[in-house]
Amino acid sequence: MSDLPTTMKAVIAVAPGGPEVLELATRPRPSPREGEILVAVEAAGVNRPDVLQRQGVYPPPPGAPDVLGLEVAGKVAALGVGATRYRLGDRVLALVPGGGYAEYCLAHESNALPAPASLTTIEAGGVPETFFTVWTNVFESGGLKTGETLLVHGGTSGIGTTAIALAKAFGAKVIATAGSPEKVAACLRLGADFAIDYRAQDFVAETLRATGEKGADVILDMVGGDYVARNYAAAARRGRIIQIAHLSGPKATLDLRPLMIKRLVHTGSTLRPRSAAEKAIIADALFARVWPLLSEGRCKPVIDSTFPLAEAGKAHARIESSAHIGKIVLTV
Ligand SMILES: NC(=O)c1ccc[n+]([C@@H]2O[C@H](COP(=O)([O-])OP(=O)(O)OC[C@H]3O[C@@H](n4cnc5c(N)ncnc54)[C@H](OP(=O)(O)O)[C@@H]3O)[C@@H](O)[C@H]2O)c1
C-alpha cells in the first residue's frame, strides 16, 4: 500500500441543496479494515438515493463516509486483514454503503463480485445497486417465477431497466410503466412485453387488459401515494407488491378489501442500511443465479450516459431531469 497516494479526490455535498452543492474535495485515502478491500475506482454509478443524500433527506448510515456513491467498479488496490477472496489487480464491482464517488473506495469483500468479462468497466459500475435491489425485492421477497407477470413502474429508471432485463432473462412476462411515448418505446426495446404511458393511459386498466383481466403477479413500485390502491387493483390473486420508494409521497388512503379478497402481500425494503453480512447473502445469490446470465450476455445493464467525476453535479442534474433511460455512471 505504500505506493498508493495518501490523499484522493472525492465528491461531497458541501451543504444540503441542488446539484451545485456537489464539489470535488481532497480527502485522505481510506485504508481497508478487517475483511475489506480497497478499490481503485474506475466507474461509479449514480442512483436516485444519492440525490436524496445530497438534498440532506437521506443521511449515510452510521459508519459510512459522507462521500456520495453506493456502487463502484475498478481494480483491487489493497487488502485488509483477513480479506482473502481477491488479489491485487482483480477487476471487481461492489455495493458500498457510501464513498463511491471517489478515486478510492472501501468495500467489504463479501459485497464485491468479480466484474464479468462481458461487461465494460462503465457497465460494471452501473450494476451493483440496481441488481442487488431488484434481486432481493423482485425475486426473493416477490418470488417472481417463470411464466408469471411482473409490473414494474418507472420502467426506464436504473431500477426499472434492470427489472426488465432480469425478469425477461428468468422467463417472466414484463409490463412496464413510463412517463412519455419515447420511454414507452425504450421499455419495449429493452424487452418489456407491454409498456404503458402512465400520463396518457390508466395503468390499472392496461395491466388488466394485458393479462386477460388476471392482473400482475408481482408489482415493483417506487411511486407510492395513490399508486398503492391502484397497485392493489392491478394485482393478480395472491399478487405480491413490493415497495422500494415513494416518489409521489409516503402516505396513502386505502380500501383494505382487495388486500384480503385477493390475498395480496404488500411488503417493502431498503437496501443501504442492511449489514454487510445481509448484503453478502444477496451477493452470493447474484453470483450463482445472475452472473452466468451476465457472462452469456443474456442480460446487461443499460447505460444512459457518463460524466467525469468532477462533473458529478451535471450527472445529478440529469438524473433529476428524469430524461435518462438506464444508468448514469461517473468515470474516474
Ligand atoms: N428500497 C431500496 O432498496 C432502493 C434501492 C435503490 C433505489 N431505490 C429507489 O428506487 C427508485 C428508482 O431508483 P433509480 O436510481 O433507478 O432512479 P431513477 O433512475 O432516477 O428513476 C426514477 C424514475 O421514476 C420515475 N418517476 C415516477 N414518478 C416520479 C416522481 N413523482 N418523481 C420523480 N420520478 C418519478 C421517473 O420516470 P418517468 O419519467 O417514467 O416518470 C424516473 O425516471 C428511487 O426512488 C430510489 O430511491 C430504492
Side-chain angles (χ1 to χ4, degrees), residues 35-295:
E36 289 182 334
I37 58 175
L38 180 72
V39 180
V41 180
E42 293 170 24
V46 175
N47 293 282
R48 185 68 61 154
D50 305 343
V51 172
L52 302 178
Q53 179 174 337
R54 190 205 71 217
Q55 291 168 338
V57 295
Y58 189 51
D66 64 343
V67 174
L68 281 87
L70 301 173
E71 57 183 353
V72 295
K75 294 205 180 77
V76 177
L79 302 168
V81 175
T84 54
R85 289 191 186 197
Y86 297 101
R87 284 192 274 186
L88 295 181
D90 280 355
R91 205 170 153 258
V92 294
L93 55 82
L95 183 74
V96 295
Y101 293 10
E103 290 177 312
Y104 292 92
C105 177
L106 296 178
H108 196 277
E109 65 164 357
S110 65
N111 295 177
L113 288 154
S118 56
L119 299 186
T120 64
T121 303
I122 286 167
E123 288 170 332
V127 162
E129 177 72 8
T130 64
F131 277 67
F132 276 69
T133 300
V134 169
W135 182 261
T136 188
N137 286 290
V138 173
F139 293 91
E140 292 181 340
S141 301
L144 182 69
K145 295 179 199 68
T146 303
E148 287 193 325
T149 299
L150 170 72
L151 168 63
V152 55
H153 294 299
T156 56
S157 64
I159 294 282
T161 52
T162 300
I164 294 172
L166 282 179
K168 287 310 296 174
F170 281 95
K173 175 174 172 174
V174 177
I175 302 172
T177 68
S180 68
E182 295 71 34
K183 287 187 171 186
V184 162
C187 291
L188 294 172
R189 210 168 49 241
L190 295 172
D193 300 280
F194 200 86
I196 301 162
D197 178 350
Y198 69 83
R199 292 185 207 276
Q201 296 169 291
D202 172 18
F203 80 78
V204 176
E206 292 301 312
T207 300
L208 293 174
R209 191 166 71 84
T211 55
E213 303 302 316
K214 179 175 171 272
D217 300 294
V218 176
I219 302 179
L220 183 65
D221 185 39
M222 58 187 73
V223 182
D226 72 344
Y227 268 38
V228 178
R230 297 171 73 201
N231 285 336
Y232 288 8
R237 213 170 133 261
R238 290 183 178 266
R240 290 86 71 195
I241 299 154
I242 321 292
Q243 206 68 49
I244 57 163
H246 43 77
L247 287 164
S248 270
K251 295 193 177 164
T253 302
L254 282 177
D255 178 349
L256 293 170
R257 285 172 293 185
L259 187 77
M260 296 183 288
I261 293 164
K262 291 188 183 176
R263 287 184 261 166
L264 304 177
V265 175
H266 186 181
T267 183
S269 76
T270 54
L271 180 64
R272 192 180 189 184
R274 297 190 205 189
S275 67
E278 287 176 296
K279 291 172 183 167
I281 293 169
I282 307 173
D284 291 347
L286 283 171
F287 188 64
R289 306 289 308 280
V290 174
W291 254 231
L293 301 174
L294 284 170
S295 297

